[in-house]
Amino acid sequence: MEPKNLRRVSEFHLEFSEEPERQPLIFGFFLTMYLIAVFGNLLIILAVSSDSKLCTPMYFFLSNLSFVDICFTPTTIPKMLWNIETQSKVITFEGCITQVYFFTLFVVLDILLLTVMAYDRFVAICHPLHYTVIMNPQLCGLLMLVSWVISVLHSLLESLMVLHLAFCTVLEIPHFFCELNPMIQLACSDTFLNNMVMYSVAQLLAGGPLTGIFYSYSKILSSIQGMSSARGKYKAFSTCASHLSVVSLFYCTGLGVYLSSAVTHSSHSSARASVMYTVVTPMLNPFIYSLRNKDLKRGLKTLFEKVSAPESRSRGSATAEPAVWSPRSAAGEVSAVRRPPTAVRSSAPTSATRESLRRARETRGSQKYSK
């Protein structure tokens, strides 16, 4: 294939739904989930930052996961909503590559963050006495930095490999955004290297962290079984239940997308499954993590109190009646300020009292002597 074929590609066409009567329903559905996902995860970040008691590694990683989810949904949903509103299905080649880059970046970052959070729970439950020593701020920052570096390098590799593909006449992507696998299937040049790299790296970056998560929770379950207190078992399990729910939802939908595309080659079925981990999972994360988490609920309550306190003070100052000055009230205030507190009478005699008693005894003694 000649390199000039790549220059002829200027745009792609996204084909998600062929039925025009369903477009308003899809628009409202995705817009609602998008707003809930963004504002829900934003509340998690603000709650963690507003409560000093939530400055722990667990909530540090949770706030970073919420930040990634906030960045994750805008890579796909706004463009799809714009296409529905304008009745246009066109996306430029540059915009498609940009979507592939950021989508791949935040998907891998989500996977690595979920793995790091599983390791954090493993240390907290299996090694509670050494938790603060092991999960120190330096290690937490290093884990985040490594996750970002791996995600950036992987997404950069995949995007650069797509740039070297040549596309011919069929430029319709049966998806609501530009995903890596549908784009590779549209290429009319040799895609063996792209497919090999895509599936090999997917197995490495998805299978490796999933193995680490399984190992962490196997150790956690054995530690929970060894606990004698039922309250301790419940507390340990409740801290892991929300994370397990998010991991199960994310991995089941993500693996379902790639397995279905590899086996059946049905892009429409993979597009429906992609909705789960691109929109539904970021939307449900704030609810899952805050549903039974008392600390996070307290953080949200503290956040709402801080937000409502300035409003109540401003309303109180605006509605308060102005003070009217009067001589009587002014005199009362001055007297109230200047009036000393009532002194407590002391039972101990003063120096003047002792002197008078001494003189009285001397006078009584002289009178008795004269008699």
Side-chain angles (χ1 to χ4, degrees):
M1 185 61 59
E2 295 179 0
K4 64 180 182 180
N5 289 337
L6 184 61
R7 297 191 185 98
R8 290 208 304 255
V9 177
S10 60
E11 60 186 28
F12 291 93
H13 294 269
L14 301 175
E15 301 285 345
F16 180 56
S17 178
E18 297 290 344
E19 302 176 4
E21 62 274 7
R22 298 179 60 184
Q23 298 293 331
L25 180 62
I26 294 175
F27 182 86
F29 178 70
F30 276 91
L31 179 61
T32 303
M33 290 195 299
Y34 173 71
L35 294 177
I36 293 175
V38 171
F39 286 108
N41 286 285
L42 183 61
L43 281 177
I44 296 293
I45 296 175
L46 294 176
V48 172
S49 60
S50 63
D51 194 349
S52 59
K53 295 182 180 179
L54 298 181
C55 294
T56 60
M58 174 183 174
Y59 294 105
F60 169 74
F61 294 126
L62 178 59
S63 60
N64 278 275
L65 181 66
S66 298
F67 173 75
V68 172
D69 287 338
I70 290 175
C71 299
F72 183 32
T73 49
T75 59
T76 57
I77 305 304
K79 177 59 180 175
M80 188 203 67
L81 296 177
W82 175 257
N83 288 347
I84 294 176
E85 181 67 22
T86 60
Q87 296 298 316
S88 173
K89 300 178 181 180
V90 176
I91 182 171
T92 62
F93 181 77
E94 293 79 10
C96 207
I97 294 296
T98 304
Q99 269 196 348
V100 168
Y101 175 81
F102 285 104
F103 178 79
T104 308
L105 168 67
F106 292 120
V107 166
V108 175
L109 198 53
D110 254 339
I111 293 173
L112 295 178
L113 271 177
L114 290 174
T115 308
V116 170
M117 293 174 72
Y119 174 72
D120 172 71
R121 292 298 84 204
F122 162 72
V123 176
I125 295 175
C126 299
H127 305 282
L129 299 179
H130 304 282
Y131 178 70
T132 56
V133 178
I134 297 175
M135 299 303 295
N136 54 72
Q138 291 78 16
L139 180 62
C140 295
L142 180 62
L143 290 173
M144 283 302 306
L145 179 62
V146 171
S147 301
W148 273 98
V149 170
I150 293 175
S151 304
V152 169
L153 292 179
H154 169 251
S155 58
L156 188 61
L157 172 65
E158 299 286 4
S159 302
L160 291 177
M161 291 188 68
V162 173
L163 286 174
H164 290 282
L165 293 177
F167 299 90
C168 297
T169 56
V170 181
L171 300 177
E172 293 183 356
I173 300 177
H175 218 303
F176 65 93
F177 67 95
C178 291
E179 199 176 5
L180 182 62
N181 191 36
M183 282 194 68
I184 293 176
Q185 293 178 2
L186 289 180
C188 54
S189 58
D190 186 18
T191 60
F192 173 76
L193 183 61
N194 294 77
N195 286 319
M196 185 183 66
V197 172
M198 181 180 64
Y199 287 109
S200 300
V201 175
Q203 291 176 2
L204 180 63
L205 293 179
L210 186 61
T211 304
I213 292 173
F214 280 145
Y215 175 78
S216 298
Y217 276 102
S218 64
K219 294 295 184 180
I220 289 173
L221 288 177
S222 61
S223 297
I224 291 176
Q225 290 176 355
M227 294 180 181
S228 58
S229 172
R231 184 178 179 182
K233 291 182 179 180
Y234 175 77
K235 186 176 180 181
F237 180 76
S238 62
T239 58
C240 301
S242 56
H243 180 258
L244 273 176
S245 302
V246 174
V247 169
S248 302
L249 182 63
F250 185 84
Y251 267 95
C252 289
T253 54
L255 291 177
V257 169
Y258 286 98
L259 289 177
S260 63
S261 62
V263 175
T264 63
H265 298 282
S266 176
S267 300
H268 287 284
S269 61
S270 64
R272 296 187 187 97
S274 298
V275 175
M276 293 297 295
Y277 73 91
T278 56
V279 187
V280 177
T281 302
M283 181 191 68
L284 293 180
N285 281 354
F287 298 100
I288 293 174
Y289 281 108
S290 62
L291 187 62
R292 301 177 64 182
N293 195 319
K294 295 181 180 179
D295 295 334
L296 199 55
K297 289 180 180 178
R298 186 187 66 245
L300 290 171
K301 184 179 179 181
T302 304
L303 174 64
F304 291 143
E305 289 176 353
K306 288 182 178 180
V307 172
S308 60
E311 295 180 358
S312 61
R313 285 197 296 266
S314 61
R315 289 176 183 175
S317 61
T319 57
E321 296 182 358
V324 179
W325 183 87
S326 64
R328 181 177 299 177
S329 62
E333 291 175 359
V334 172
S335 61
V337 173
R338 291 184 178 179
R339 185 181 298 127
T342 304
V344 180
R345 293 184 178 180
S346 175
S347 59
T350 61
S351 58
T353 305
R354 288 195 295 270
E355 183 66 20
S356 60
L357 289 174
R358 185 180 63 78
R359 291 180 180 179
R361 284 195 297 269
E362 290 179 356
T363 304
R364 195 180 300 115
S366 60
Q367 290 177 357
K368 182 178 179 181
Y369 179 77
S370 61
K371 289 179 181 180

